[in-house]
Amino acid sequence: MKQQKMVRLVESGLMLALSTVLSMVKVLELPYGGSITAFSALPLLLVAYRYGVKWGLFTAFAHALLQLVLGASVFSTPGLSATGTAAAVVLDYLLAFVVLGLGGVFRHRCRNQATALMWGAVLTGALRYICHVISGWAIWAPLFDMPASEALTYSLAYNATYMIPETIVTALGAFYLSRAVDLREQMPTRAKTAPVAPAAFWVGLAGKAVLLGAAVWSVVEIFAPLQDPETGDFVVRNLSLVAWPTVGIVLGVGLVCWLISDLLRRKLSR
């Protein structure tokens, strides 16, 4: 029993360190907070999946404290009151990262390891998004003298630009890791998977590539009008200039292509 607890503690510490390091590897960083990272949430999802929600929440809380220390600039934001700072700490750091500890809730609800982890990634990504949206609407938007009627729309759009790709990246990472490693045993072992037909493999890969490409294209398309060509400054009000119907169509097409490719992959694998 003591050995198992020691293994759990050491493994969680390593995953916590890995998650912190990966959070510094930013594919895209937004000027007013938020970024697309290199699978930084995945190690915490693995801890929650392997050791349960309670231990997952504890580890995620430790990660939240580390992220707060790394993002300490929030304490010196001009114009932000003490109450606003405290609210930002709770929403953008504590709650937003603690919810990653819920990534293991589907372990006993989904027999398939990959499915459980991917749903965990989607759930935690959605909860993080909600936390950041509330923070952007209630705390950050007023700093830009933004009308209350527009603040929620801007917060929904701004936070979606990085949280949607971040969630997709995390879910894909969970999927491919699950195909290589069986995480359900006390000591992870190589996953035993049935041979995959080449056609099924390439069809599945193509669908995921299309979905990820659609997400990346949407991020670029959204940010193009947000930068002032003369000063280079980020103008949040220019979100109204984004071609949202086009972005929605591209994301929708990417999602449909992925769903179709997944159905074809399953049929070809039989």
Side-chain angles (χ1 to χ4, degrees), residues 6-16 50-51 186:
M6 182 60 67
V7 170
R8 180 179 64 177
L9 185 61
V10 171
E11 183 179 328
S12 300
L14 290 174
M15 291 296 101
L16 178 59
R50 282 176 52 73
Y51 297 112
Q186 182 179 349

Side-chain angles (χ1 to χ4, degrees), residues 74-123:
V74 67
F75 294 108
S76 58
T77 303
L80 192 61
S81 66
T83 302
T85 299
V89 167
V90 172
L91 287 169
D92 285 326
Y93 290 95
L94 297 184
L95 285 180
F97 290 106
V98 166
V99 296
L100 294 175
L102 298 174
V105 296
F106 295 102
R107 174 166 183 172
H108 300 294
R109 293 173 174 81
C110 300
R111 293 184 179 180
N112 185 278
Q113 175 181 265
T115 302
L117 279 171
M118 290 181 71
W119 275 114
V122 172
L123 172 64

Side-chain angles (χ1 to χ4, degrees), residues 16-33:
L16 178 59
L18 179 59
S19 183
T20 302
V21 171
L22 291 176
S23 69
M24 300 177 187
V25 183
K26 299 178 180 179
V27 179
L28 175 67
E29 184 174 12
L30 278 67
Y32 295 114

Side-chain angles (χ1 to χ4, degrees), residues 105-192:
V105 296
F106 295 102
R107 174 166 183 172
H108 300 294
R109 293 173 174 81
C110 300
R111 293 184 179 180
N112 185 278
Q113 175 181 265
T115 302
L117 279 171
M118 290 181 71
W119 275 114
V122 172
L123 172 64
T124 55
L127 292 175
R128 275 192 64 192
Y129 174 63
I130 292 172
C131 290
H132 292 312
V133 166
I134 295 174
S135 175
W137 166 62
I139 302 169
W140 299 108
L143 295 181
F144 297 95
D145 297 322
M146 190 175 296
S149 58
E150 300 178 1
L152 181 58
T153 301
Y154 286 137
S155 185
L156 286 167
Y158 179 89
N159 289 290
T161 56
Y162 67 92
M163 279 308 307
I164 291 178
E166 176 82 354
T167 301
I168 292 175
V169 167
T170 304
L172 290 178
F175 174 79
Y176 284 108
L177 182 64
S178 294
R179 293 182 62 85
V181 182
D182 188 344
L183 301 164
R184 290 164 291 192
E185 301 297 332
Q186 182 179 349
M187 295 300 293
T189 59
R190 185 174 180 177
K192 297 179 181 179

Side-chain angles (χ1 to χ4, degrees), residues 3-21 40-64 66 101 186 188:
Q3 184 179 2
Q4 292 179 356
K5 290 183 178 179
M6 182 60 67
V7 170
R8 180 179 64 177
L9 185 61
V10 171
E11 183 179 328
S12 300
L14 290 174
M15 291 296 101
L16 178 59
L18 179 59
S19 183
T20 302
V21 171
S40 64
L42 185 54
L44 298 176
L45 294 183
L46 301 182
V47 172
Y49 180 80
R50 282 176 52 73
Y51 297 112
V53 171
K54 290 183 179 180
W55 187 260
L57 290 171
F58 172 76
T59 308
F61 179 71
H63 178 70
L66 287 173
Q186 182 179 349

Side-chain angles (χ1 to χ4, degrees), residues 180-232:
V181 182
D182 188 344
L183 301 164
R184 290 164 291 192
E185 301 297 332
Q186 182 179 349
M187 295 300 293
T189 59
R190 185 174 180 177
K192 297 179 181 179
T193 57
V196 179
F201 170 79
W202 288 111
V203 166
L205 182 62
K208 296 178 181 67
V210 170
L211 179 58
L212 185 58
V216 172
W217 181 90
S218 298
V219 171
V220 174
E221 186 69 14
I222 290 171
F223 275 90
L226 298 184
Q227 191 170 20
D228 191 306
E230 297 181 358
T231 64

Side-chain angles (χ1 to χ4, degrees), residues 214-215 217-219 221-222 241-254:
W217 181 90
S218 298
V219 171
E221 186 69 14
I222 290 171
L241 303 178
V242 176
W244 290 110
T246 303
V247 171
I249 290 173
V250 170
L251 284 174
V253 169

